[in-house]
């Protein structure tokens, strides 16, 4: 166990978590936007998303193995699916929370549909939407440790190997590194959010 | 219904909730498309115009104000100018001019956010935003409905002064009779989607066309009628010895107030020159 080794695993870990979060946003934000704008979609989307939320992380990872085999891809798919619910639910709430008066005023002033979305709806929905992304980031980082069980590598390997070889030192190294990353990401996102919402 | 609104006039759509006055207002900027019939501005059918272009030329103020909470006051006011691609300097100049006009010192208000303002200040910004690009038509949907009564009169006076200086055609929706009488050149009394009467405030009050209009306006309310008549018109000609004076354009309601307060006769003056006298007798005559 060396520093180089730790950095290598940390990098793989962050890459996996970021990719999963990115995919989760790519799917979750449009889902939330759709369910908040189209009444008929709301119940099906939110039901589906809530089912996704109650599936345990480990189960989700295990489900992916028959579909994708072992390694990075099933872990990515499982973690992305875990990221979707908080993002989609918050996006739905965020868009529905945009004051109707602001949208009415925007339309009345002659904004096109696109301008209304880009200049009014998105910025007003953003704070709550971003909160969902923060929640998802924390969940993904915490759950990515399990990816090692299906051979996706990363810091989880310290935990699995530590458990198997009865080496508490390895185990704690992995856990500590993950905690540091989770805290760092949470601070970075909180800071970003404050910067973006300055004055409001 | 058919309504012909004079350019540059202040027309109030008055009626109980749900009578269709807001809907009528929203057909003018094509936010609501009529199932039948036409709305024209200067002879052009609004249904044929490009909706967004049309609306950039029509000011729109709503009761809930609808300021954008993520933008500063200045940015809110600059929305339509930016949609019209005004350059930065011209927009900035216009924003300050409008803040000045609406009684919000630019240096103190320009960079604040809407949530830091009181309800009255927010609606001032709402009005400033609506008239930023000098629209020829201004639509106002109960703009002072959420402002408390003490502030409302002040805001009404200011708004009246501003739109008069702009020579904008104003369509103003309200269910508040006193607000309508105070502001309107012409009032459209509406009920269940139909026009009951369309006339000047004084005509509507003194010659209500239907029992509904009479009841809604409280046409038998002498004080209301007096508030629409001015001292100059009611004054009896002749030299006056009364030391107390009242301006010719003051309302008879104000005159009555003075007379009941212990003054027996008032000299009516226009531009400093006496034109007649006024007592309780003349006020009684004016009401008949």
């Amino acid at each position: 166990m060396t520093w180089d080794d730790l950095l290598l695993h940390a990098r793989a870990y962050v890459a996996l978590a970021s990719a999963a979060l990115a995919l989760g946003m790519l799917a979750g934000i449009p889902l939330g936007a759709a369910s908040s704008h189209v009444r008929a979609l709301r119940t099906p989307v939110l039901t589906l998303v809530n089912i996704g939320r109650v599936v345990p992380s480990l189960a989700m990872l295990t489900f992916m193995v028959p579909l994708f085999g072992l390694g990075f891809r099933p872990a990515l798919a499982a973690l992305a699916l875990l990221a979707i619910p908080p993002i989609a639910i918050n996006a739905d709430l965020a868009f529905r929370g945009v004051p109707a008066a602001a949208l009415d005023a925007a339309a009345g002033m002659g904004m096109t549909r696109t301008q209304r979305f880009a200049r009014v709806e998105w910025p007003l929905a953003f704070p709550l939407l971003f909160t969902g992304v923060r929640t998802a980031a924390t969940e993904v980082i915490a759950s990515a440790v399990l990816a090692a069980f299906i051979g996706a590598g990363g810091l989880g390997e310290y935990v699995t190997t530590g458990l198997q070889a009865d080496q508490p030192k390895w185990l704690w190294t992995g856990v500590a590194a993950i905690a540091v990353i989770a805290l760092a990401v949470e601070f970075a996102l909180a800071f970003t959010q404050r910067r973006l919402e300055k004055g409001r | 219904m058919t309504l012909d609104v004079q350019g540059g006039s202040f027309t109030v759509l008055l009626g109980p909730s749900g009578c269709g006055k807001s809907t009528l207002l929203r057909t003018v900027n094509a936010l609501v498309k009529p199932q039948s019939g036409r709305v024209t501005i200067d002879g052009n059918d609004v249904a044929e115009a490009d909706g967004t272009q049309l609306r950039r030329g029509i000011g729109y103020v709503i009761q809930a104000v609808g300021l954008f909470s993520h933008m500063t006051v200045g940015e809110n006011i600059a929305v339509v100018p930016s949609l019209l691609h005004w350059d930065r300097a011209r927009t900035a100049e216009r924003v300050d001019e409008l803040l000045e006009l609406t009684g919000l010192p630019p240096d103190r208000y320009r960079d604040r956010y809407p949530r830091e303002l009181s309800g009255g200040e927010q609606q001032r910004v709402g009005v400033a935003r609506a008239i930023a690009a000098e629209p020829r038509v201004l639509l106002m949907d109960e703009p002072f409905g959420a402002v408390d009564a003490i502030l409302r009169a002040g805001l009404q006076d200011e708004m009246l002064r501003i739109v008069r200086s702009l020579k904008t055609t104003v369509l103003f929706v309200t269910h508040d009779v006193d607000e309508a009488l105070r502001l309107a050149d012409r009032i459209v009394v509406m009920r269940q989607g139909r026009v009951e009467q369309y006339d000047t405030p004084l005509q509507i009050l003194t010659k209500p066309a239907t029992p509904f209009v009479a009841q809604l306006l409280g046409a038998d309310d002498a004080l209301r009628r007096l508030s629409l008549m001015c001292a100059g018109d009611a004054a009896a000609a002749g030299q006056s010895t009364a030391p107390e004076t009242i301006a010719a354009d003051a309302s008879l309601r104000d005159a009555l107030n003075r007379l009941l307060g212990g003054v027996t006769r008032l000299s009516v003056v226009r531009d400093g020159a006496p034109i007649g006298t006024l007592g309780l007798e003349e006020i009684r005559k004016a009401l008949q």
Side-chain angles (χ1 to χ4, degrees), chain B residues 1-5 11-16 19-21 24 171 186-199 204 209-210 212-213 216:
Chain B
M1 63 163 67
T2 302
L3 268 183
D4 192 6
V5 173
T11 303
V12 170
L13 307 178
L14 174 67
C19 72
K21 50 197 195 300
L24 179 62
L171 281 177
R186 299 277 217 118
I187 295 178
V188 182
V189 181
M190 288 182 67
R191 181 198 192 185
Q192 293 173 355
R194 305 226 325 263
V195 174
E196 293 272 313
Q197 192 171 2
Y198 176 34
D199 216 323
I204 285 187
T210 66
F212 174 79
V213 176
L216 180 75

Side-chain angles (χ1 to χ4, degrees), chain A residues 104 107 110 119 124 199-200, chain B residues 26 55-56 70 82 113 115:
Chain A
D104 186 24
R119 298 192 190 194
L124 287 178
R200 286 199 251 166
Chain B
R26 290 161 64 88
R55 290 189 274 271
R56 286 170 196 179
H70 61 295
S82 94
Y113 283 85
R115 75 154 50 145

Side-chain angles (χ1 to χ4, degrees), chain A residues 32 35-36 42 87-98 125 128-129:
Chain A
S35 72
S36 59
R42 183 143 200 265
I87 294 176
I89 289 168
N90 271 64
D92 176 77
L93 289 173
F95 284 115
R96 285 191 310 123
V98 173
L128 197 52
L129 192 148

Side-chain angles (χ1 to χ4, degrees), chain A residues 99-113 115-116 119-121 123-124 198-200, chain B residues 26 29 31 52 55-56 58 60 62 64-71 79-80 82-83 113 115-116 129:
Chain A
L103 294 176
D104 186 24
M109 282 190 288
M111 288 194 189
T112 62
R113 197 174 271 278
Q115 285 167 337
R116 240 149 54 209
R119 298 192 190 194
V120 179
E121 208 172 358
L124 287 178
K198 213 172 89 191
R200 286 199 251 166
Chain B
R26 290 161 64 88
N29 63 1
L31 282 178
T52 56
R55 290 189 274 271
R56 286 170 196 179
I58 299 178
Y60 187 51
I62 53 180
V65 194
L67 291 183
F68 304 139
S69 58
H70 61 295
M71 297 184 189
V79 166
V80 178
S82 94
L83 291 173
Y113 283 85
R115 75 154 50 145
E116 304 171 77
R129 180 173 72 169

